Structures are given as C-alpha cells and as structure tokens.
Amino acid sequence: MLKISAVILQNLLRNKAIFGYLVLLCFTGWGMFLYESQPEKAVLSILQIVLLVLPLITLIFTTTYYYHSQEFLFLLLAQPIKRSDIFAGLYIGLAIAFLAVFFIGIGLPVLLFASGMQSLFLLLSGLLLNLVFIAIALLVGVGVHDKSRGIGVTLITWAFFAFIYNGLVIFMMYQLSDYPIENLILVLSFLNPVDIARIMVIMKSEASALLGLSGAVFQDFFGTAKGGVVSILALILWSIIPFWITHKMFRKRDL
Amino acid sequence: MRLCKKTLIWDTSIKWLLVKKMFFILLFTCFIFDAPVAGKDIHVGKDHTIQTIRQGLMKAADYDRLIIHHGVYHEDSLIIDKPIEIIGKQGAIIDAQNHEVDIITIVADSVTVKGLQFRNVGTTFLSEPAAIKISKCKYVTIQNNYIQDCFFGIYVGNSRHCRVINNHAEAAFKEQVSAGNAIHAWKNKHIQIHGNRVHGYRDGIYLEFVNHSSITNNNSYDNLRYGLHFMFSNHDIYQNNTFRNNGAGVAVMFSKKIKMINNHFVHNWGGSSYGLLLKEIVGGEISQNHFEQNTIGIVAEGATRIIISDNRFTSNGTALDMKGNSIDNQVVRNNFLVNTFEVVTNTRYNQNQYMNNYWSGYSGYDLNHDGFGDVPYRPVGLFAKITNSIPAAMIMLHSPLVNLMEMGEKVFPGLTPEGLTDEAPKMKPYAYD
C-alpha cells in the first residue's frame, strides 16, 4: 500500500499542475504577509483562499488525476494486489502531496507571521479540508465514468459547498426569521465541510462575541473546547464517509 | 569708569539688604499668623496613650494631625467634623467587621485622609455605606488609601473642590444588583479623581450630577457593569484612563459637553458589551482614544454634535455603531484597523459626517498622490445590514457567498445607507504616538 503511495507521490511531484498550485499558494501565502502590514487582515484573506481556492483545485485536480491515471490503475489491478490497498495507496499519495503543498505555501508563512490560536485552527481546518475534498473528488471520479461529466459534477459540488448552500441557508433564515432557528442552523452548518472549517476559525477569532444574545447558542457550542473537538471530528467524518463509500465502490465495481 | 563700578556695587548691596529684610519680615508674619494652622500631632496606636481613633478624634482640635500607627482598628461610624489631617502609617487598618455603616464620614471642609487601609463594610440596601463618605464639604483630599471589600469605596456627595487621588479600591462582588461602586460621586462640582486603581465593583467610577470635574489617569478594570459611568453630568473631562475587561467600558448618559481624551478602552468583551456608550448626550469631544478588542467600540444612541477624531479602533467586533437618532456628529481622521464591522447603523439616511478616516477595508486608488483616496468609501457593509435584521445570520461571517454579495453591494449600492460615505478616505493609517 505504502509502495503504491510512494509511486503515486513520485508521479505527482513531477506534475506541472501541482507545481503551479504550489507557486499559487506560495504567492498568496507568503505574499499576503509581505504585502499586508496587519497580520490579522492577512489571516482573513488566507481564510478566503482556504475556503474557496483550496477546495476548487483539490477537487478538479484529483478527479482529473484519477481519470488520467486510470490506465496505470488498471495495470496495477492486473497484479496480485488487493484492490483496497491500491485505493488507499492512491488516497494517501494524493493526501501527502496536497498537504505538503499546503504546508509550504500557507502553513509556514502563517506560523511564522501570525502564530496564535486562530492561525492554528486555520491550518488545522485547511489540512482537514484537503482530506475531505480529496475523498469527495475520488468519490466523483470512481462514481462517474465519463470524464467530462465527472469534471462537471466536481465543479457543481464545489459551487454547492462554497456558495449555493450558504445562499439556501440565508434564504431559509429570512423565511424563518420569526422562529428560534439557532439550533437548526447549528445542525445545518455541519452539513457543509466549508462551513465547519470557517466557523472553526472565526470562533477562535474576534467574531465569537459578535454573535450577540441570539447567537448565544452558537457561542455555547462552538466557543468551547467541546465545540472545537466536535468540529474537528465532523471534518474527519466528512473525509472518512466519502472515502469509505468510494473504497467500497472501488472494491466491488467493475471498473 | 571706576566710580561708576563702585556705585553699581553699592547699589546692588543695598538692594540685597532690603530683600533680606523683607524676607525676614515675611517669615515672621508667617510664623505669627500660621502658628495655629500648623497644629499639633496626635498619635494613635497600641504603644501610645490614645488607643482608638475615636478618642484621637475627640482630642483633636482644628488643624491638628492625627497620626494612626500600625495595627488593626475595629472601628466604624467615625465622624470628622473639624478640619484635620488623618495620616495612616504603614499597616494602619480600619476594619468595620461587616457592619453596615460608613467607616469615616467627613462633614467638615479641608479634611485630608492619607495612607489608611479600610476593609469590610457590609452590604445594605437601605443606605449606601462606604469606607469614606464625604458629605457637603469643600477642599477635602483623599489620598493613597487602600480599600478592600467595602460596599462602596469612596462616596463623595454634595461637595466641591474635593480630590480623590491615587487610591486603590478592590472588591470581589459577584452580582451587579448587590454590588456598590468603588468611587461614587453625587452632586458635586470641581472635583478631581486622579490616579486611582479600582476593580471588582459594580461601577469603577460613578458620577451623577457632577459638573466641571476631571477624571484622569485612573485604571478601572474587571468591574461588573461599567468602568466609568456618567449620569446627568456636564462639562467634565476624562483623560489618560484605562478601562479594561469591564462589563462595559464607559457609559456617558444624559450629559453635555464631556471631553474624552487619550483613554484606552481594552477588551470590553461579551454578548452585550461595548467600549463606550453615548446615550442622549450633546456636544463634546472624543479624541485620541484607543479602542481595542471591544465587542463594539462606540455605541452612539441619540448623540448629537460630537466630534470623534484621531481615535484608533483596532480589532473590535464593530468599531462604531451609529444609531439613526444620532445626528450632526463628525467622524474624522480616525484609524479603523481590522474591525469585523467598521460602521453599523439602523437607518437608511445618514445625518453624520465621515471624513478623512483610514479604513482597512478600503481598496480605492489615489491618482494625484495627496494621501487621500479618489473613490469614496462606504463603511457600512451589506452583511452588517443583514445581521442587523437577522442576528443569527452572523454565523455566515466571512463566508465566500457573503463576501461576494458584499462586493456586489459595493459596486451597486442598493440596501446600505446611500449618503454614508467617506469622500476622501486616507490611503495609509495615521501614525499616532
């Protein structure tokens, strides 16, 4: 399994797109701090990168990479290797590559220029989002045979998590604003990994008290250590469930 | 030439003699007329003939000095009705043993209380017992005292020209309703509250009907309600104070022409907390203050004709909450650095002026390089508007969708107040200090 990971990692390191992604993250991560005199502001800008760009690139790259390396995977499948090992190897290889890029591009500058609870949570949520979206991308790749349809599905997935879902929630808030909807929103925010990551970070920052009286529910939940642990567990769950489904599919299905 | 020099010397020596003479005459007269003022020293303590402060007070004549030596004195209800000076030596403690009465009540002018320690005044809601109560006096000085666990610390009522300087009042009240104020001033004129350290009370400093007074260099922290509280007080100034970690920093209510200069409002944090509340106040000046990490920096409700200038707002939830009933205020030359919301308002019409501020959310350009941006800035965001109507929407803070909507609103303003713009925002932050 690890051998397969190593092979895939080697292949990924030679990949131009990964290199380009690294350059992009380095520019934003390091550049933001060098350009911006207020580190708090830079952290917020990086949060936007983590919430928007990171899922998009992870999703698109992983699905295309899966489609491209399908022949190689078939070759491997012809060997006496367990299917689950091949799949896990693929996932681990991709995860290591993305995490390394994320760490060099975003992690190092954030740790260097803005150490603090908020930055730590920013990095943690970034790392977990990587794992979540690699798993989701592989789910799409394995689930959808046609390549162009697959890419389309990933794009829609991205738009859904980044924009559409929040739009629906805000719409719902307007419709139900006369009711105590805090608990409902609390539950709804766990249905979107991007939201979990975002809330995890803002709860460690200035916003925690902004929530005011009506937001006491959020504060009681997310503001405490328990809330942090639950959010992290939720993100881990968000990566395990797609991984597990895909894993099952990959083992059983006629590829 | 020589002659001339001689006369000059003669001249100066005569002058010098005259000055000397005058000096002695003056000294002499001083001696005669000041003799009763100097008074005598009366020592109170275990090693002295006078053992209790009450005895000492009875012995003392006008302008005497009562020196209280080391020891714990279980006394209270001491009434000072003549102009004397009470000086506590190191370790002189007056303990009221939780009796619900004042420890010292001053009813005479020109009294000085220095260097004493007071503790354990009990709580009652029938009267307002304090460690030191000043009632209908002039020129009283309360200095360098340490007050611990008293219901009220220093209570100044109906007085003029009194000074409360460098005292330290400490308590550990749990609930607002059963807590007193550290320094409580009621119906005074020309009083000076300087260099005090107050913490753990309901209000650090409370002023009601106090005019023409100054509150300077105080440090008020960890109080349950306000660090400093003005009610119906006019023409006062507070300067160089620090308000940290209070229920809310400062509340200025129903007052006129208050000057607030160079204060620090730090970490007044919580669901309904804020740095500075302006409620129904007219005139005045808020300048060179630093608002840092408050849930809301300034809340202005019914504030009129106030100049808010040269302040720094750093890392607040909301920097400035200008309610719709605040009019004709000027917000100029302030730094707004990394606040989640810069300005929030609940009206669509703007009746205040915003000019030449630095906004860290500004992204315009400056073609003629005069240091001010060419594109007006709208400090009220769409998201602030949304959360104003649905507080629960705050959970969407920094969400990509919200940012997208915010951007659209900046280009085509539809919902945010139209006139609320800074026509010439500063490109770079002002450098203070």
Side-chain angles (χ1 to χ4, degrees):
Chain A
M1 184 173 80
L2 289 177
K3 236 175 199 169
I4 296 166
S5 306
V7 171
I8 283 172
L9 199 60
Q10 248 175 20
N11 182 246
L12 279 170
L13 290 182
R14 277 192 299 249
N15 192 306
K16 278 189 195 116
I18 280 280
F19 183 72
Y21 179 49
L22 175 66
V23 171
L24 175 78
L25 281 193
C26 278
F27 266 115
T28 45
W30 292 90
M32 206 71 85
F33 280 106
L34 297 177
Y35 168 75
E36 189 63 67
S37 54
Q38 302 151 9
E40 299 95 333
K41 219 174 138 185
V43 167
L44 284 185
S45 306
I46 288 174
L47 176 66
Q48 291 306 313
I49 302 281
V50 169
L51 297 183
L52 268 185
V53 178
L54 187 147
L56 177 66
I57 291 185
T58 317
L59 277 172
I60 291 187
F61 181 84
T62 309
T63 22
T64 35
Y65 184 78
Y66 175 78
Y67 287 128
H68 278 294
S69 52
Q70 234 167 6
E71 285 167 12
F72 169 65
L73 288 175
F74 290 161
L75 184 74
L76 280 181
L77 287 172
Q79 312 297 318
I81 309 170
K82 270 204 264 174
R83 274 192 172 197
S84 58
D85 278 2
I86 295 175
F87 181 71
L90 176 68
Y91 183 85
I92 290 170
L94 279 163
I96 290 174
F98 271 108
L99 291 187
V101 167
F102 178 75
F103 187 72
I104 296 168
I106 304 276
L108 280 181
V110 167
L111 285 179
L112 276 180
F113 294 106
S115 52
M117 212 48 187
Q118 193 191 359
S119 311
L120 270 180
F121 267 80
L122 174 67
L123 293 187
L124 194 64
S125 58
L127 293 177
L128 290 171
L129 275 187
N130 265 319
L131 298 182
V132 170
F133 282 101
I134 293 170
I136 293 176
L138 285 179
L139 175 64
V140 175
V142 174
V144 183
H145 275 291
D146 185 37
K147 189 176 162 184
S148 49
R149 263 186 69 201
I151 301 287
V153 170
T154 50
L155 278 176
I156 290 170
T157 315
W158 172 75
F160 179 77
F161 285 135
F163 297 111
I164 299 168
Y165 186 80
N166 280 358
L168 290 176
V169 172
I170 289 182
F171 180 72
M172 189 211 74
M173 282 181 190
Y174 261 105
Q175 298 307 313
L176 303 178
S177 59
D178 294 338
Y179 301 92
I181 47 175
E182 280 81 10
N183 277 318
L184 180 64
I185 291 168
L186 197 71
V187 174
L188 286 179
S189 60
F190 276 101
L191 300 181
N192 181 354
V194 178
D195 272 357
I196 304 173
R198 182 173 54 78
I199 293 168
M200 236 165 85
V201 177
I202 59 170
M203 278 299 160
K204 292 291 165 227
S205 71
E206 81 279 39
S208 49
L210 274 184
L211 299 171
L213 288 177
S214 102
V217 180
F218 308 136
Q219 208 173 343
D220 280 354
F221 184 78
F222 285 108
T224 54
K226 182 191 78 182
V229 171
V230 171
S231 321
I232 291 169
L233 284 180
L235 277 181
I236 292 173
L237 214 63
W238 258 103
S239 56
I240 285 177
I241 291 172
F243 177 85
W244 183 69
I245 296 172
T246 322
H247 183 247
K248 220 171 172 185
M249 238 192 250
F250 192 82
R251 252 183 9 186
K252 296 267 165 70
R253 222 161 146 176
D254 176 22
L255 296 162
Chain B
M1 186 68 192
R2 188 178 275 176
L3 195 88
C4 188
K5 210 171 187 179
K6 234 179 184 172
T7 50
L8 203 80
I9 290 167
W10 184 83
D11 219 37
T12 46
S13 63
I14 285 288
K15 251 186 200 164
W16 178 235
L17 260 176
L18 270 173
V19 168
K20 250 184 173 174
K21 216 174 179 178
M22 291 270 282
F23 178 70
F24 276 112
I25 289 168
L26 262 174
L27 197 71
F28 189 63
T29 47
C30 278
F31 197 72
I32 290 172
F33 291 108
D34 255 14
V37 178
K40 60 180 187 297
D41 284 359
I42 296 168
H43 293 271
V44 177
K46 272 183 242 138
D47 311 330
H48 299 270
T49 44
I50 301 167
Q51 302 268 332
T52 66
I53 301 170
R54 196 177 302 277
Q55 278 176 323
L57 283 172
M58 289 205 316
K59 283 266 161 58
D62 288 4
Y63 307 108
D64 282 353
R65 274 156 46 111
L66 198 64
I67 296 167
I68 298 166
H69 289 272
H70 177 89
V72 179
Y73 300 84
H74 294 299
E75 293 186 65
D76 50 52
S77 312
L78 300 165
I79 292 168
I80 300 169
D81 50 3
K82 46 205 157 194
I84 55 171
E85 194 173 345
I86 302 176
I87 296 169
K89 290 281 179 194
Q90 183 86 33
I93 301 169
I94 310 182
D95 190 335
Q97 295 172 299
N98 286 321
H99 295 161
E100 292 140 6
V101 286
D102 303 329
I103 296 182
I104 283 186
T105 311
I106 300 170
V107 292
D109 295 349
S110 311
V111 172
T112 301
V113 179
K114 261 187 202 170
L116 276 167
Q117 291 190 32
F118 298 87
R119 64 188 189 199
N120 301 334
V121 170
T123 299
T124 174
F125 302 111
L126 297 174
S127 63
E128 291 165 326
I132 302 173
K133 188 171 275 176
I134 304 171
S135 177
K136 295 180 185 162
C137 300
K138 280 180 274 187
Y139 306 106
V140 171
T141 304
I142 310 294
Q143 197 171 359
N144 295 338
N145 299 291
Y146 174 66
I147 296 163
Q148 192 184 16
D149 296 326
C150 291
F151 183 45
F152 278 73
I154 299 167
Y155 188 112
V156 187
N158 257 323
S159 299
R160 277 185 279 167
H161 300 285
C162 291
R163 299 189 300 164
V164 179
I165 299 174
N166 296 343
N167 300 288
H168 179 188
E170 184 182 354
F173 286 111
K174 295 274 180 292
E175 280 175 58
Q176 257 192 37
V177 284
S178 58
N181 304 324
I183 297 174
H184 184 103
W186 183 77
K187 216 176 170 189
N188 300 295
K189 265 184 189 170
H190 302 288
I191 63 165
Q192 188 188 346
I193 298 174
H194 175 89
N196 300 288
R197 189 146 75 94
V198 289
H199 53 108
Y201 284 84
R202 181 175 58 188
D203 290 347
I205 301 170
Y206 178 91
L207 308 172
E208 190 168 349
F209 306 111
V210 174
N211 299 333
H212 302 284
S213 297
S214 76
I215 296 99
T216 49
N217 296 60
N218 299 289
N219 189 359
S220 179
Y221 55 95
D222 296 335
N223 293 298
L224 298 176
R225 197 169 65 178
Y226 301 120
L228 170 62
H229 190 176
F230 280 86
M231 294 290 279
F232 312 105
S233 297
N234 306 327
H235 305 282
D236 298 316
I237 178 165
Y238 67 93
Q239 196 165 8
N240 306 339
N241 301 291
T242 303
F243 306 102
R244 184 188 297 271
N245 230 354
N246 298 297
V250 175
V252 183
M253 302 185 182
F254 310 99
S255 299
K256 283 179 201 160
K257 297 204 172 154
I258 308 280
K259 277 190 183 172
M260 317 167 207
I261 297 166
N262 198 22
N263 301 288
H264 274 62
F265 301 80
V266 192
H267 206 269
N268 296 296
W269 200 243
S272 56
S273 188
Y274 38 77
L276 170 59
L277 169 71
L278 307 171
K279 192 169 173 64
E280 305 302 328
I281 72 163
V282 181
E285 186 187 313
I286 302 172
S287 66
Q288 295 162 34
N289 299 290
H290 190 188
F291 297 87
E292 192 179 356
Q293 286 193 335
N294 302 292
T295 308
I296 306 174
I298 299 181
V299 187
E301 264 188 64
T304 314
R305 291 197 294 279
I306 294 171
I307 297 169
I308 302 175
S309 69
D310 305 287
N311 300 290
R312 261 185 303 169
F313 296 86
T314 317
S315 308
N316 298 292
T318 302
L320 177 57
D321 186 349
M322 190 69 91
K323 301 284 187 212
N325 52 1
S326 301
I327 53 173
D328 294 336
N329 299 294
Q330 288 181 33
V331 181
V332 289
R333 294 189 304 278
N334 300 289
N335 273 341
F336 290 86
L337 303 166
V338 213
N339 301 292
T340 306
F341 298 120
E342 287 167 331
V343 176
V344 169
T345 184
N346 55 0
T347 171
R348 286 204 57 186
Y349 305 99
N350 176 40
Q351 299 175 30
N352 302 295
Q353 193 197 1
Y354 297 83
M355 201 69 181
N356 296 357
N357 298 290
Y358 172 79
W359 310 92
S360 53
Y362 185 58
S363 54
Y365 47 81
D366 177 21
L367 283 182
N368 56 358
H369 292 289
D370 61 350
F372 296 101
D374 302 339
V375 188
Y377 180 67
R378 301 176 171 280
V380 180
L382 174 68
F383 187 49
K385 197 83 198 160
I386 295 175
T387 50
N388 214 339
S389 52
I390 316 169
M394 188 62 84
I395 199 86
M396 306 308 264
L397 186 71
H398 297 312
S399 127
L401 176 79
V402 164
N403 286 12
L404 204 70
M405 280 159 61
E406 198 88 71
M407 239 185 279
E409 178 70 21
K410 285 252 153 74
V411 182
F412 306 107
L415 293 168
T416 51
E418 247 167 272
L420 208 164
T421 55
D422 188 333
E423 292 295 327
K426 188 92 163 49
M427 291 302 287
K428 281 185 182 156
Y430 291 93
Y432 297 133
D433 320 314

